[in-house]
Every structure is written in structure tokens, then in C-alpha cells.
């Protein structure tokens, strides 16, 4: 069901089938001239049906609709090409913009597969993930020229509303928040979620994602936010949630370090299997493969932070894999 949060600002729930995130909150800012849709859902029929029905209910003029995707992930970008008006623009953070190029995408996934193999991910599992990971298949299939990059400090003026772009790398290199200062409303994208811990992974072209993420959590914490509008599920108290996330990652970093100390030389894949996870599976072996991929990515982000701090070092093991030692 759509909801009018304040006049001309709507939330539109879009279901995400077979995905632990369950649903995406798309937001529409309706203007007298152009309107802006923030995030879209996967490029899948049930997402499209919900998004289209929701938009129709708001009475927005679909022929004057622009789209802003808060980051590159396909649950946000998937329907952007289909929903945008013919002359409309699709805005994306400038640091995510390169990922929209097909050549870059191919290079990126090859690089990631190679990296995960070296980190101990079994070859047959990498093969399955590369065929089934929604990140690789449910995007909008657009050329890079279809997107307009936006950067920190840019402003969208829509009717009486002023939305300022904040660039907060961490969950994705080009993750954006949008800040409506007068109303005290912050669109958090996936930077802060209230029911889920945003996944922080490694990226082939940006280092220390977790370190950047933590800095940008602290940055956002200083804004006088009255209402946080996350891209998934419920809202809540932003400062309280940020403090929880900071503690969560501090504990995670400590847990990762203690595993490395206990089992020096272990691969990231095996370290991940010894960490505690909030996933319903009997054992590490029973993890759904795509969840395994995200988990290893997250463990690597924590290892990367420990390497930056100088408490852990990577080594090349006899079997050619990367191992980690104190
Ligand atoms: Zn998302």
C-alpha cells in the first residue's frame, strides 16, 4: 500500500521475490513540473506490477518522471529504464557510474571471481554463484550513456522541496543519501537500514569499504534528522541505529581478529565459516550459495580493515591461496 508521508512525498512498497530483503521502499517526490522516483526494484514482473500500480495511485504524470537510484545494486536500479519517461533522466552517484558500463561490469565480475577463488571459495561454488547471483542478472541492461552521474552537494528542487545529494561510500562505492534540510528528512538508501544490517563487501576498484562505511555512518549521525526513510522495510531512530551499527562492526572486527589469532593462515572462506551469522542454515556448508558469497565479501571487508590497522597480514599459502595471520 502506498503512503503519503508528507504532501507530495510517497512511499511505494515493491516486493523482492525470493530475497531476504523482502521488499524495497521506492519513494516518489511529486512536483508541479518534473517528479523524482527514488529507487525502483528488480527487473522482474512482480516488482514492475507493484511499482506501476503504486505510481498510478499517486496520480503522478508518468511522462515527466526522472529516476534517482541510491546505488548500483539491482534491487534499486532494476526497473529504472522501464519506468523513466522518454526524455527523463536516470541519476546515479558518480562513484557508481562506471559500474553501469557493460565492459566495466564484465571486468568487475571476472576480477571478483578471481579474487574469491584465491580467498578459498571452491571453484564449483563460484561457478554457480556467477550464474545465479541476482546482482548479475536483474539489472536494467542499460548502456552507460543512459545514466547521469550526480555528486556530493548537488541539489534537486522539486516543487517546494529541496533535496541535497550526500555521497556516502561504504555499502556501495557510490551510495547516496538525499537530505531535505527544511523537513529534517533523510533518504538513507541502504546506508542505514533498521531491520537489517547493510552488507559491506569488498569491491574490485575501491579499498577499505568498511573503514569508509564507518566514517560515513559517523558523518550522517551529525545531521539533525527527524525522519529517516530507508530503502528497505521500517524506519526508526537514526542515531540509535547508527550507534548499534557501529557497535556491531566493532564486535565483528574483534571476532574476525580472534579467529585469525586462533587459526593463523586460514583462508577468508574458512574464516567466514567460523564467524557467527544471522542466517537460517544448519551449518556453513548449508548456507545458500549467494548468501555464502555475501558473507565472504563481508568477512573480507573486516579483514581489510584489520590489515589497514596493521593487526592482520595476508600471506600466500603453499596451495596458492591467500591466508591471514596476526
Ligand atoms: Zn538494497
Amino acid at each position: 500500500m502506498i503512503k503519503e508521508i508528507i504532501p507530495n512525498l510517497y512511499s511505494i512498497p515493491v516486493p523482492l521475490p525470493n530475497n531476504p530483503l523482502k521488499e524495497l521502499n521506492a519513494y516518489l517526490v511529486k512536483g508541479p513540473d518534473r517528479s523524482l522516483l527514488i529507487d525502483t526494484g528488480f527487473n522482474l514482473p512482480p516488482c514492475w506490477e507493484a511499482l506501476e500500480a503504486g505510481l498510478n495511485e499517486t496520480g503522478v504524470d508518468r511522462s515527466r518522471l526522472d529516476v534517482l537510484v541510491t546505488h548500483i545494486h539491482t534491487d534499486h536500479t532494476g526497473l529504472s529504464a522501464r519506468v523513466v519517461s522518454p526524455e527523463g533522466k536516470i541519476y546515479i552517484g558518480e562513484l557508481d557510474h562506471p559500474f553501469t558500463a557493460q565492459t566495466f561490469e564484465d571486468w568487475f565480475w571476472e576480477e571478483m571471481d578471481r579474487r574469491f577463488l584465491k580467498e578459498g571459495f571452491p571453484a564449483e561454488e563460484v561457478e554457480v554463484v556467477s550464474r545465479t547471483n541476482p546482482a548479475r542478472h536483474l539489472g536494467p541492461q542499460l548502456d552507460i550513456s543512459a545514466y547521469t552521474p550526480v555528486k556530493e552537494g548537488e541539489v534537486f528542487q522539486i516543487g517546494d522541496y529541496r533535496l541535497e545529494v550526500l555521497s556516502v561510500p561504504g555499502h556501495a562505492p557510490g551510495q547516496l543519501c538525499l537530505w531535505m534540510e527544511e523537513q529534517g528528512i533523510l533518504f538513507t538508501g541502504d546506508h542505514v537500514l533498521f531491520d537489517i544490517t547493510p552488507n559491506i563487501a569488498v569491491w574490485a576498484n575501491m579499498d577499505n569499504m568498511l573503514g569508509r562505511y564507518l566514517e560515513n555512518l559517523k558523518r550522517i549521525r551529525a545531521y539533525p534528522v527527524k525522519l529517516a526513510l530507508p530503502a528497505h522495510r521500517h524506519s526508526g531512530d537514526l542515531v540509535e541505529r547508527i550507534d548499534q551499527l557501529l557497535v556491531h562492526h566493532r564486535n565483528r572486527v574483534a571476532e574476525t581478529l580472534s579467529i585469525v589469532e586462533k587459526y593463523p593462515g586460514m583462508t577468508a572462506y574458512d574464516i567466514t565459516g567460523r564467524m557467527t551469522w544471522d542466517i537460517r542454515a544448519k551449518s556453513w556448508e548449508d548456507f545458500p550459495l549467494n548468501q555464502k558469497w555475501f558473507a565472504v565479501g563481508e568477512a573480507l571487508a573486516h579483514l581489510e580493515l584489520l590489515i589497514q590497522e596493521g593487526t592482520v597480514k595476508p600471506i600466500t599459502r603453499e596451495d596458492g591461496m591467500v591466508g591471514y595471520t596476526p
Side-chain angles (χ1 to χ4, degrees), residues 121-167:
F121 220 94
E124 60 280 10
E125 294 190 356
V126 168
E127 196 273 321
V128 176
V129 173
S130 71
R131 273 190 287 112
T132 59
N133 184 339
R136 308 188 190 195
H137 305 289
L138 299 178
Q141 312 293 334
L142 285 178
D143 187 74
I144 190 166
S145 63
Y147 293 90
T148 305
V150 292
K151 54 177 185 288
E152 168 74 29
E154 272 184 54
V155 169
F156 292 89
Q157 186 72 45
I158 300 161
D160 294 336
Y161 296 143
R162 184 179 185 277
L163 291 82
E164 183 188 342
V165 173
L166 309 180
S167 171

Side-chain angles (χ1 to χ4, degrees), residues 21 71 75-76 171 190 232:
L21 294 168
H71 60 288
D75 52 326
H76 300 258
H171 176 67
D190 282 5
H232 300 284

Side-chain angles (χ1 to χ4, degrees), residues 39-322:
D39 291 330
T40 66
F42 285 127
N43 191 5
L44 285 175
C47 298
W48 173 247
E49 281 153 30
L51 182 64
E52 188 171 48
L55 284 171
N56 288 341
E57 232 182 294
T58 67
V60 67
D61 179 354
R62 297 269 301 273
S63 70
R64 291 189 296 177
L65 187 64
D66 298 313
V67 175
L68 178 138
V69 294
T70 54
H71 60 288
I72 186 72
H73 293 154
T74 51
D75 52 326
H76 300 258
T77 62
L79 291 167
S80 49
R82 198 159 168 196
V83 74
V84 72
S85 66
E87 315 76 44
K89 292 201 163 144
I90 303 172
Y91 299 101
I92 190 167
E94 63 173 347
L95 298 173
D96 273 352
H97 189 232
F99 289 102
T100 60
Q102 195 57 50
T103 46
F104 192 91
E105 211 177 84
D106 293 344
W107 168 84
F108 175 77
W109 289 118
E110 270 168 37
E111 188 67 32
M112 291 296 274
D113 286 351
R114 204 162 32 236
R115 166 105 194 247
F116 274 52
L117 286 170
K118 286 207 98 159
E119 303 286 356
F121 220 94
E124 60 280 10
E125 294 190 356
V126 168
E127 196 273 321
V128 176
V129 173
S130 71
R131 273 190 287 112
T132 59
N133 184 339
R136 308 188 190 195
H137 305 289
L138 299 178
Q141 312 293 334
L142 285 178
D143 187 74
I144 190 166
S145 63
Y147 293 90
T148 305
V150 292
K151 54 177 185 288
E152 168 74 29
E154 272 184 54
V155 169
F156 292 89
Q157 186 72 45
I158 300 161
D160 294 336
Y161 296 143
R162 184 179 185 277
L163 291 82
E164 183 188 342
V165 173
L166 309 180
S167 171
V168 289
H171 176 67
Q175 173 75 55
L176 303 178
C177 290
L178 288 170
W179 174 227
M180 292 169 70
E181 186 172 15
E182 209 183 307
Q183 294 75 17
I185 292 178
L186 183 77
F187 297 90
T188 66
D190 282 5
H191 183 48
V192 178
L193 299 173
F194 293 85
D195 310 78
I196 310 149
T197 309
N199 176 257
I200 309 301
V202 283
W203 285 76
N205 67 335
M206 194 184 257
D207 69 347
N208 198 19
M209 294 302 276
L210 182 60
R212 292 170 199 267
Y213 179 68
L214 298 175
E215 282 315 303
N216 282 318
L217 279 181
K218 291 176 201 155
R219 178 186 170 203
I220 291 302
R221 196 183 182 286
Y223 280 72
V225 175
K226 292 194 196 119
L227 176 64
L229 296 177
H232 300 284
R233 306 214 220 155
H234 306 100
S235 181
D237 183 318
L238 187 70
V239 168
E240 188 185 295
R241 182 60 181 150
I242 288 176
D243 289 344
Q244 284 171 0
L245 291 170
L246 290 170
V247 169
H248 166 84
H249 286 292
R250 205 179 310 135
N251 291 341
R252 258 348 223 166
V253 168
E255 184 188 22
T256 312
L257 178 60
S258 76
I259 295 169
V260 173
E261 283 168 346
K262 202 161 162 201
Y263 308 99
M266 202 173 251
T267 65
Y269 182 87
D270 289 335
I271 291 170
T272 312
R274 280 171 174 77
M275 291 167 73
T276 44
W277 297 97
D278 213 4
I279 289 172
R280 250 176 273 150
K282 269 187 255 117
S283 66
W284 175 231
E285 288 70 35
D286 292 326
F287 260 47
L289 272 188
N290 283 313
Q291 298 299 322
K292 238 183 196 180
W293 180 276
F294 287 126
V296 171
E298 196 167 316
L300 282 169
H302 287 75
L303 286 164
E304 208 177 18
L305 187 77
L306 288 163
I307 292 167
Q308 294 254 344
E309 286 175 0
T311 40
V312 165
K313 8 179 234 298
I315 53 156
T316 304
R317 309 190 331 168
E318 269 174 26
D319 60 5
M321 304 273 179
V322 181

